[in-house]
Amino acid sequence: MANEPTPTVVLVHGAFADAGSWSGVIAELQKHGVPVVAPSNPLRGLVSDAAYIASVASQIDGPVILVGHSYGGALITVAGATDNVVGLVYIAAYVLEKGESLGELQGRFPLSPLVSNLKEATYPVAGGEPAVEVSIKPEAFPAIFAADVPADVTKVLAAAQRPLAAAAFAETASAAAWRTKPSWALVAGADQAINPEVERFGADRAGATIVELKGASHAVAVSRPKEVAGLILDAVRATS
């Protein structure tokens, strides 16, 4: 495989964030000459969001490594079935099995503080009743999402958070790409948004190469970009 092209890394953000949350990781990867794309995740449902990410990946020439943070992990699990995807990297993420939903996986473990600190709103759906979306209560956002991020940065992240359609928690994964493709996972040891046990269980089940960062919050890509990029670079080297 020595002459294989360097894979393009596609960074998939999760709920309550946007593509800007990858800024530090992007800078680290670009320093190493790795091509990077960080699409805007629609956050409207597991099925449609995974289809969108699969579409992004399939239109890239050459091999692709999909990297998913949080809910983005569920998306890359499905979208990773795309032919040119050669590896999966999970960052403080859900790693689903085929036929499993976020709610089912999460429900096997004690709930994180996130669950009791969500607020609901509605958004219009063409030709139908308004649908429900959830975001993190602003006053709870620092402790739950980004406890190891400077306060001034956290205020910006809280203001810019993007809500997730509530329906995403019940939709099931149509594929589990980790069954046929190599995977890596970073567990955020002090995560208050996803129980770290959920992250560990999914990563173990997938047979992923696992790194755990003790003290890292859910916003580990913001607070520890070099370590996150380091794991992605491991995946790049192993697949190129």
Side-chain angles (χ1 to χ4, degrees), residues 23 35 58 74 101 117 134 177:
S23 296
S58 68
S101 70
N117 283 285
V134 293

Side-chain angles (χ1 to χ4, degrees), residues 12-199:
V12 182
H13 69 81
F16 323 124
D18 62 20
S21 60
W22 293 113
S23 296
V25 175
I26 292 169
E28 289 294 324
L29 294 174
Q30 288 177 338
K31 275 187 211 168
H32 288 83
V34 175
V36 188
V37 178
S40 184
N41 179 354
L43 301 177
R44 297 294 78 166
L46 178 56
V47 174
S48 61
D49 293 345
Y52 176 72
I53 298 305
S55 173
V56 171
S58 68
Q59 293 177 75
I60 293 171
D61 287 334
V64 166
I65 290 175
L66 290 179
V67 181
H69 173 244
S70 188
Y71 165 68
L75 304 186
I76 70 168
T77 295
V78 177
T82 306
D83 287 346
N84 63 328
V85 173
V86 295
L88 308 165
V89 183
Y90 295 93
I91 306 297
Y94 294 105
V95 188
L96 297 182
E97 173 62 282
K98 183 178 179 181
E100 189 173 60
S101 70
L102 295 174
E104 285 170 341
L105 174 57
Q106 204 165 251
R108 295 186 199 130
F109 299 88
L111 293 177
S112 73
L114 171 74
V115 179
S116 59
N117 283 285
L118 294 174
K119 64 172 188 174
E120 293 188 354
T122 60
Y123 64 95
V125 177
E129 293 293 315
V132 175
E133 62 183 13
V134 293
S135 58
I136 303 173
K137 295 173 183 174
E139 65 275 15
F141 189 94
I144 286 174
F145 200 87
D148 57 351
V149 176
D152 55 341
V153 176
T154 306
K155 283 182 182 175
V156 174
L157 295 176
Q161 65 170 305
R162 291 181 50 215
L164 174 67
F169 291 100
E171 293 182 17
T172 58
S174 60
W178 47 261
R179 289 200 163 273
T180 57
K181 298 179 183 183
S183 60
W184 291 258
L186 186 150
V187 174
D191 201 327
Q192 298 293 299
I194 301 177
N195 183 338
E197 288 296 328
V198 174
E199 298 171 19

